[in-house]
Amino acid sequence: MSAILTLAAPLSGLALPLSAVPDPVFAGGMMGAGLAIEPLSSTLLAPCAGEVIQLSATGHALTLRAANGAEVLLHIGIDTVKLGGAGFTPRVARGAQVVCGQPLIEFDIDAIARRAPSLLTVVVVSNSDAMTLSDSASGPVQAGGAGLLTIHANGVDQAPAPATAPACSDSARVAHEGGLHARPSALLQGVARRFDAQLDIEFNGQRANARSVTALMALGVGEGDRVTVHAGGAQAAEALAAMLAALQTATAAGHTPAAAITAPVSAPVTALAARSDGKLGGVCAAPGMAVGTVVLLAQQERVLDERGHGVEAELAALTRALAQVQQAVAEDVAQAEARGAHAESEIFGAHLALLDDPQLQQAAEGFVRDGCSAAFAYRRAIRQQSEVLLALGNALLAERVADLKDLERRVISALLGEAPELAELPPQAVVVADDLTPSQLTRLPRERLAALVLARGGASNHVAILCRALAIPSLVAAGDAVLALAAGSTVWLDAGDGWLDPAPTAANLAAAHQQIAGREARRDSLRRHAAAPAHTLDGVAIEVAANIVNAAEAAEAVRHGADGVGLLRTEFLFAHRSDAPDEAEQRAACQAVLDALDGRTAIIRTLDAGGDKEVPYLPLPPEDNPALGLRGIRTGLAMPAVLDSQLRALLSLKPLSRLRILLPMITDLSELQQVRTRIDELAREMGLSERPQLGVMIEVPSAALLAEQLAAHADFLSIGTNDLTQYTLAMDRCSPALAARLDPLHPAVLRLIEMTVRGARQHGRWVGVCGAMASDLAAVPVLLGLGVTELSVSPALVPEVKACVRQLQLSQCREQAQALLQQSSPQAVRALLQLADTGQH
């Protein structure tokens, strides 16, 4: 067997050194030595004979192992994993033996070029530490042409391979609430994938690959347990340090710690359901009361063919299905983020991590090679892993089985077509099921869903978390008795007290309706008074506006009594599409918002792209830290055509007197002046004599420190507390590991808000808050005490925030705010607020 291998060109195009790749991971050689090709052909060919040992679920990359042991990674484009498989068609499956020149992946070169930062295709030897590379080609190459790269396997007649970093290990105590369940395991997977290293977690004599979410969950690690981390490879030391930090960073699970279980979750739950008053008991997943009509959702398992139609065909079908589901789940994440539904986004984010789990995928592929159909193999892999989690005797991990079942259902649907739709719901439906998955819940029409009752599940499963986020009264672990309820019957549910009355008397129904009406009356009272201005007890007017994304939400804001729109995020016009909206589309969408406001004003923010707000078709460069890179107004100034189109659309709105333009991520005065100058130029070109008000977002500490300068040239200032907190505390607001510590009531953030207000007052400008802090009723008196005069919240919260304002004495708020500024931590701030709220001084 020859130790020397010469690669053929997998594509036609221009061969370039790795240093030309706009991605530091590849350019820095972290994935191995090699080269790149700027492609002119659209079929990736095998550069040598070998075995396909890795194939990405999204079809954008694969690895071949050649006869001399070289592992050749072929990666089409940069950041193309984010396309979710769109534009890629694999022609081989993992485990396939291929010959040199055989087609591996076909890709839509035009579509990918529009959506990816770069088409540069990387050819690297991932185990290049055991190889010597030479005779690398440069300049034009032809697909199938020989002489691209020569690889020598290091042996006795070769120079020894460079020494790799020594293996290392250390221990850590797990701080994640509930231990290593799905979301913390997904977090650790993300850490592991950042490094060129092998990371294993050891617990109770068992080891798991840190890149496998299911393997990590199967360890059964609880909160406070001590684990050992083993690291090896080129970046072992860095990977070990990062993994130890991730394990020891506390994250909230959104529930109370789960108790151990003594029986499998699949066993009937009857003890909890037994009550002497005829009611059926359960566990409160989301509080609330409802009277409604029972709708039974039968969970009929699909019958699958066990045998497949050939290994290659079934592996290819499985790869396509996984890529399809990955793209769909990624869209679920993006849509949830766009609605501000962070709980939903995190849950589907964990599903993405499970889809990319190598252990699950390898198990399914193994069953296919044994002759199973792709659908049967994936179900078998899921069930095998579910049994492992159930056997651990941990209720929280057992509840993650629902997430695995959700993926099973979605992948099988991708393979075989969708199952019959869930039953159509009548008004005020009380949906009863054995169990439900997150994706099934989100498909139910919210306007018809009065309550949810599950025979199984728990208060910490993902469906329960979603129910709390969506304010759906929910009872779980109610036992098999609820499955015997008569479809169409009327029931009374009090989820907060943990019971369901299956046969309420007329008197009971009357009492229930009275209680529900009382609760609704309070909400109606708030809504009735919401349209009136909000004044503090000492007569100071506070504007309460709404954060929205479209005209429908603008109309909702009006119904809830909003004084206007405090933030219209224009990203909704640019997201989930393959090209930018033109000027006419932007004008129509924004005019519809103004028209829906019935004379109220609207603050419309220019495009805030970059960072965690991805717009795939914009040619934004890949960055090590996107949050500190090209985003907000920096993107607009770097892409003047995009900014000009948006500004012209906004200047076309009528009447301009009701428009306020807001600029995101301003860091100093020069950026504001550039945009104001451009607005003046465009207005003159359009023959306009009127100009809309122009404001800046205070999202970075530099803007708060320069607030006095900015206020001299801006018409108003609006504080984005989400980003201001992130940048002040140097904590990524997208990091689950830091979520519990990212508190806007940190005294450093409060001081920057106070500084912003003080600077604005010197020029008679008003200051508003459009971040999440404005929706925190505990923070409202703090913001008012610091001098904020406008709060912008979600439409549904407007009545409650206005009611809160009307109960406050501004003079007391100011006195309290000064005391809070002197505190040393957010915990101290919240403790002082709680004392004030309870009247203990």
Side-chain angles (χ1 to χ4, degrees):
M1 182 182 297
S2 174
I4 301 175
L5 171 70
T6 300
L7 298 185
L11 294 163
S12 297
L14 186 67
L16 300 167
L18 278 184
S19 58
V21 179
D23 185 321
V25 174
F26 288 119
M30 298 179 191
M31 297 298 291
L35 47 72
I37 298 175
E38 184 72 58
L40 295 175
S41 58
S42 58
T43 300
L44 184 75
L45 305 180
C48 61
E51 179 187 359
V52 179
I53 62 171
Q54 177 270 331
L55 175 63
S56 168
T58 53
H60 72 288
L62 59 71
T63 303
L64 291 177
R65 181 183 289 129
N68 73 340
E71 296 182 357
V72 183
L73 168 65
L74 304 164
H75 190 288
I76 303 170
I78 302 303
D79 280 352
T80 42
V81 66
K82 297 176 181 177
L83 302 183
F88 296 97
T89 306
R91 292 305 182 195
V92 293
R94 188 172 179 273
Q97 295 289 336
V98 300
V99 298
C100 185
Q102 180 176 335
L104 301 176
I105 300 172
E106 292 181 2
F107 56 101
D108 188 333
I109 193 167
D110 293 328
I112 295 168
R114 288 195 298 269
R115 300 182 63 192
S118 170
L119 267 175
L120 274 176
T121 295
V122 176
V123 182
V124 298
V125 181
S126 57
N127 61 340
S128 53
D129 56 342
M131 303 284 156
T132 299
L133 278 60
S134 61
D135 301 329
S136 177
S138 62
V141 294
Q142 187 68 34
L148 182 75
L149 183 66
T150 300
I151 306 169
H152 301 255
N154 292 333
V156 293
D157 58 337
Q158 299 288 335
T164 59
C168 49
S169 62
D170 202 347
S171 64
R173 194 171 297 282
V174 174
H176 299 277
E177 184 180 323
L180 297 187
H181 50 95
R183 280 172 288 167
S185 296
L187 166 68
L188 299 186
Q189 181 198 60
V191 172
R193 290 184 181 281
R194 297 207 313 261
F195 297 96
D196 180 15
Q198 172 65 38
L199 280 165
D200 289 341
I201 309 293
E202 182 179 355
F203 180 65
N204 280 348
Q206 301 294 317
R207 285 173 68 146
N209 182 349
R211 296 189 181 215
S212 171
V213 173
T214 55
L216 289 173
M217 290 194 297
L219 289 175
V221 177
E223 182 179 352
D225 286 340
R226 182 168 288 280
V227 300
T228 300
V229 182
H230 301 276
Q235 292 185 292
E238 301 96 315
L240 176 63
M243 185 58 69
L244 292 172
L247 286 163
Q248 296 174 101
T249 301
T251 58
H255 49 70
T256 55
I261 55 175
T262 57
V265 169
S266 57
V269 183
T270 56
L272 188 63
R275 289 175 59 110
S276 59
D277 56 5
K279 295 175 181 175
L280 303 179
V283 174
C284 175
M289 184 178 288
V291 171
T293 304
V294 170
V295 175
L296 292 171
L297 293 186
Q299 300 295 307
Q300 294 180 342
E301 188 170 277
R302 298 183 74 167
V303 177
L304 306 178
D305 291 332
E306 181 174 350
R307 309 311 294 174
H309 300 287
V311 172
E312 294 301 322
E314 296 295 334
L315 285 175
L318 179 61
T319 298
R320 288 193 300 272
L322 289 172
Q324 179 182 330
V325 175
Q326 188 171 44
Q327 183 176 8
V329 176
E331 289 173 359
D332 290 341
V333 172
Q335 291 168 9
E337 280 296 325
R339 298 194 307 272
H342 301 301
E344 187 176 333
S345 171
E346 286 184 10
I347 288 164
F348 286 126
H351 287 195
L352 273 180
L354 286 169
L355 278 168
D356 203 27
D357 190 308
Q359 184 162 307
L360 265 180
Q361 188 170 344
Q362 289 166 15
E365 291 172 351
F367 293 137
V368 168
R369 291 192 180 89
D370 290 341
C372 295
S373 69
F376 192 89
Y378 197 74
R379 173 180 284 174
R380 189 172 171 185
I382 289 286
R383 300 297 169 86
Q384 186 180 70
Q385 188 57 45
S386 298
E387 289 174 6
V388 172
L389 295 181
L390 289 171
L392 292 172
N394 180 294
L396 180 56
L397 290 176
E399 287 167 3
R400 296 294 80 88
V401 170
D403 298 301
L404 291 170
K405 286 183 177 178
D406 204 358
L407 291 182
E408 174 192 317
R409 184 191 62 78
R410 296 184 78 156
V411 171
I412 289 175
S413 293
L415 286 163
L416 306 180
E418 284 291 341
E421 288 293 315
L422 295 174
E424 184 175 342
L425 300 186
Q428 290 299 110
V430 175
V431 169
V432 178
D434 182 67
D435 206 351
L436 211 61
T437 65
S439 64
Q440 287 174 318
L441 174 63
T442 56
R443 287 164 57 204
L444 294 174
R446 177 67 189 92
E447 68 280 1
R448 289 176 171 260
L449 184 59
L452 179 68
V453 180
L454 300 180
R456 315 205 182 280
S460 56
N461 72 9
H462 282 164
V463 167
I465 293 170
L466 282 179
C467 285
R468 290 194 288 276
L470 298 170
I472 301 169
S474 306
L475 207 61
V476 297
D480 291 336
V482 297
L483 301 178
L485 292 170
S489 62
T490 299
V491 295
W492 174 23
L493 172 83
D494 189 332
D497 280 348
W499 54 260
L500 177 143
D501 189 342
T505 64
N508 285 342
L509 285 178
H513 284 300
Q514 185 175 359
Q515 291 183 53
I516 294 170
R519 297 179 185 185
E520 188 60 36
R522 181 182 178 277
R523 289 192 288 267
D524 284 343
S525 176
L526 292 179
R527 283 194 289 264
R528 281 197 307 273
H529 294 92
H535 291 88
T536 62
L537 293 173
D538 37 3
V540 178
I542 302 296
E543 184 174 340
V544 181
N547 297 330
I548 66 166
V549 297
N550 53 35
E553 290 192 4
E556 183 186 358
V558 171
R559 289 194 298 272
H560 283 88
D563 298 324
V565 165
L567 176 64
L568 169 64
R569 303 178 179 94
T570 55
E571 292 77 53
F572 82 97
L573 284 167
F574 292 78
H576 313 305
R577 53 189 299 159
S578 59
D579 53 0
D582 60 23
E583 185 181 322
E585 183 179 350
Q586 294 185 62
R587 180 175 61 249
C590 293
Q591 186 64 56
V593 169
L594 272 186
D595 294 344
L597 288 177
D598 195 22
R600 297 165 178 81
T601 59
I603 296 176
I604 300 181
R605 186 176 68 188
T606 59
L607 176 64
D608 186 9
D612 60 317
K613 303 180 180 73
E614 295 181 4
V615 179
Y617 52 85
L618 290 183
L620 298 176
E623 298 178 284
D624 288 342
N625 193 335
L628 300 181
L630 198 63
R631 59 161 299 193
I633 198 60
R634 301 171 193 167
T635 304
L637 294 174
M639 301 178 182
V642 175
L643 180 61
D644 279 1
S645 175
Q646 187 163 42
L647 292 177
R648 277 193 296 267
L650 294 175
L651 290 171
S652 301
L653 301 183
K654 300 182 187 309
L656 280 178
S657 60
R658 293 203 284 116
L659 169 66
R660 297 168 180 167
I661 298 176
L662 183 61
L663 306 179
M665 286 296 294
I666 291 288
T667 56
D668 58 41
L669 182 58
S670 65
E671 294 167 332
L672 169 61
Q673 290 175 323
Q674 287 182 68
V675 178
R676 189 177 281 284
T677 298
R678 189 56 184 149
I679 288 175
D680 287 340
E681 291 170 351
L682 292 173
R684 282 194 295 272
E685 291 174 11
M686 298 168 67
L688 300 173
S689 58
E690 186 179 7
R691 305 284 189 275
Q693 288 190 24
L694 182 63
V696 300
M697 288 199 76
I698 306 296
E699 299 173 276
V700 297
S702 67
L705 293 167
L706 298 177
E708 190 273 332
Q709 291 184 18
L710 293 170
H713 296 268
D715 297 302
F716 64 95
L717 306 181
S718 183
I719 302 174
T721 53
N722 301 352
D723 270 325
L724 183 60
T725 304
Q726 165 179 248
Y727 293 121
T728 301
L729 303 183
M731 294 181 184
D732 186 349
R733 66 189 179 98
C734 296
S735 169
L738 298 173
R741 300 177 59 190
L742 203 68
D743 193 338
L745 283 172
H746 193 291
V749 179
L750 300 184
R751 290 188 180 202
L752 289 175
I753 294 173
E754 190 269 342
M755 184 178 293
T756 299
V757 173
R758 186 163 14 101
R761 279 179 178 160
Q762 294 186 43
H763 298 280
R765 309 303 189 198
W766 60 269
V767 177
V769 171
C770 58
M773 190 177 179
S775 299
D776 183 351
L777 296 181
V780 169
V782 181
L783 293 173
L784 269 55
L786 293 173
V788 170
T789 58
E790 186 246 24
L791 303 170
S792 192
V793 302
S794 64
L797 281 177
V798 169
E800 194 139 11
V801 172
K802 282 194 170 185
C804 176
V805 168
R806 295 183 185 119
Q807 297 169 6
L808 297 174
Q809 189 87 21
L810 191 57
S811 58
Q812 292 179 1
C813 294
R814 289 170 179 158
E815 181 181 342
Q816 181 187 58
Q818 291 306 306
L820 298 177
L821 292 173
Q822 307 309 312
Q823 302 307 305
S824 60
S825 69
Q827 293 80 11
V829 168
R830 289 191 179 276
L832 201 57
L833 285 173
Q834 189 172 12
L835 282 174
D837 190 49
T838 57
Q840 300 173 17
H841 299 285

